[in-house]
Amino acid sequence: MCQSIGQMSQRADDDMDGYLDSRCFPHLSIQKWIPTCLRVCVGMPMRPLDRMLVLMAAMPVFGQGPAVTPDHPWHSPVERQIASEAQRLGQSGFRIEADKIYSLAELVDLAEAHNPQTRVAWESARAQAAGLGIARSELYPTLTAVALMGVDRSEIPLGTRFYRFTIPAFEASLELNYTILDFGARRGRIDAASARVLAANFGFNDVHRKLIYEVQQAYYRLLNASAQETAARSSLANAQAVQQAAEERLKNGLATLPDVLEARSATAQAQYDLQAVLGAEQVARGDLATALGTSASAMIHVQPLSEVPTPESIGETVAQVIDRALSQRPDLQAKVADIREANSQAKEARAAYYPTLSLHASPAVQSLFFEQQNLPWGHTTDLTGGVGLSLNWTVFDGGARKNRLAQAQAQIRQSEAQASATRDEIEDEVWTAYSNLNTAFRQREAATALLDASSQSYAAALESYNYGVRNLLDVTAAQKVLAQARSADILARTQVLATLSDLAFRAADSIQTVQKGSHP
């Protein structure tokens, strides 16, 4: 049996390590060991050192320290509390209607209203607006009310005797402080805070731009996956038709067993491709649901690809799109706001070279009582206080103001360089997106021609095979080419839509038609 705690306490006089003896503690479960330690520390007489050692041994069990050993995971009651709190963080309150077919515009509206990213950016902008209010408050005086009450008692020697003096006092005062002149320091802080508000608002717009793009891309991936499913089922039907024709010809003695096995292999391959497409469609639905801000398991039904209009060309030049992007991109606007902030900070740094004139006024009402031993009470009430002007001018600071101004001017140049770099990146992004869109248009035309040709080739090969003119390998090859052509045609159509949305994303066109309200 385990040694008792009392025996361990006695043993500690000779061997302090006895408290952690591995022959004792492993025989006690956690549920029994903790109460035992608590009873020992509370109810039994122990030396302070003994109590400390027992509590130190218990600390890993309570989970207040690091992991006990490096070869096991660390767990504690706090971990369970965190897990419980994480489970209570539910999804947003909106529900996807299972029987409704959503358009892209409706999905974008849902994402902007319920995706938590917009809430994060919204609260960040509101915090910066509050910071602007704090900066503007420096233009006004501060008024503080102070109330004091106390009793002062002392013994004062007079001659050969001590006399007791008691002075109860009550005072209520107002303290007013106001900076009259600071040569633009406050205005610099206000302008810097205003620039940060602008940058936060532009960042809020950029979050919407990126969210709309994310929804569009997920939507087009889902369109592509759904259409690919239709194409894969058509390809499976074609493969089954070829297999049926081969088996019928085998029955009539017009085909060989290898032909039938080849046809069955093509059918199995088409079934395999269909399952892969079904998996991709499920992933695309989960991505779209996540972009909306709801559970990934939500079933979202969208319009079929055949009902979504596909443009044939773009009516603008790349120069026009670039000019529009440079005037609309919120990330570039945020960089310009950073330049404003840097200029404002430089203005504040220059103001430090000049004096600051402040006003301080403190009117007060005092009520004093006076009691001296063997004498009657005395009392007085009066209006007191003071007013003054303070002129502070730093004559020498070891170069701190000079370096702060140099730092602010360097920040201006850095912000300007960052804005120029962002401008170059925007131009390159628009050029790339515009080129990809033109490539997608040309691929769309080629895919349409490929689908027409492969459809005719498959039909002719199957008909010729039924008449015994072509062999099965020609038919299966034509069937595979037709399946690839169907997939390429769908991919080319969705690629046009995806690259068109990418160009709108790079030019920030997607956020220009969205009406911003007072809520995210």
Side-chain angles (χ1 to χ4, degrees), residues 361-476:
S362 56
V365 176
Q366 289 184 338
S367 180
L368 302 177
F369 294 85
F370 175 77
E371 179 188 12
Q372 182 179 355
Q373 189 174 0
N374 300 325
L375 292 176
W377 280 85
H379 173 257
T380 182
T381 300
D382 199 1
L383 178 64
T384 62
V387 61
L389 291 174
S390 174
L391 182 67
N392 297 321
W393 194 353
T394 302
V395 179
F396 178 75
D397 59 1
R401 291 172 295 179
K402 176 182 177 182
N403 289 302
R404 290 193 187 99
L405 181 57
Q407 184 182 44
Q409 291 172 342
Q411 185 65 38
I412 293 174
R413 294 188 293 270
Q414 178 184 356
S415 300
E416 292 174 345
Q418 289 177 342
S420 299
T422 302
R423 178 188 175 93
D424 294 339
E425 291 174 0
I426 290 174
E427 291 184 359
D428 181 65
E429 290 175 2
V430 173
W431 173 263
T432 302
Y434 190 89
S435 301
N436 290 338
L437 180 57
N438 287 326
T439 302
F441 282 136
R442 294 190 294 267
Q443 288 179 332
R444 173 75 178 95
E445 296 177 359
T448 302
L450 175 62
L451 179 60
D452 292 339
S454 59
S455 298
Q456 296 175 7
S457 175
Y458 168 76
L462 181 60
E463 184 179 3
S464 299
Y465 175 74
N466 290 330
Y467 285 112
V469 179
R470 303 282 294 272
N471 58 38
L472 184 65
L473 293 179
D474 295 335
V475 179
T476 55

Side-chain angles (χ1 to χ4, degrees), residues 56 74 113 140 191 199 223 261 276 280 305 326 332-333 346 389 408 429:
M56 289 176 61
W74 177 84
Y140 303 93
D191 291 343
L223 281 184
L261 295 178
L305 181 60
L326 295 177
L332 179 59
Q333 294 169 342
L389 291 174
E429 290 175 2

Side-chain angles (χ1 to χ4, degrees), residues 74 76-89:
W74 177 84
S76 73
V78 178
E79 179 184 5
R80 292 192 292 270
Q81 295 176 4
I82 294 296
S84 177
E85 293 175 5
Q87 291 177 353
R88 289 196 295 269
L89 295 176

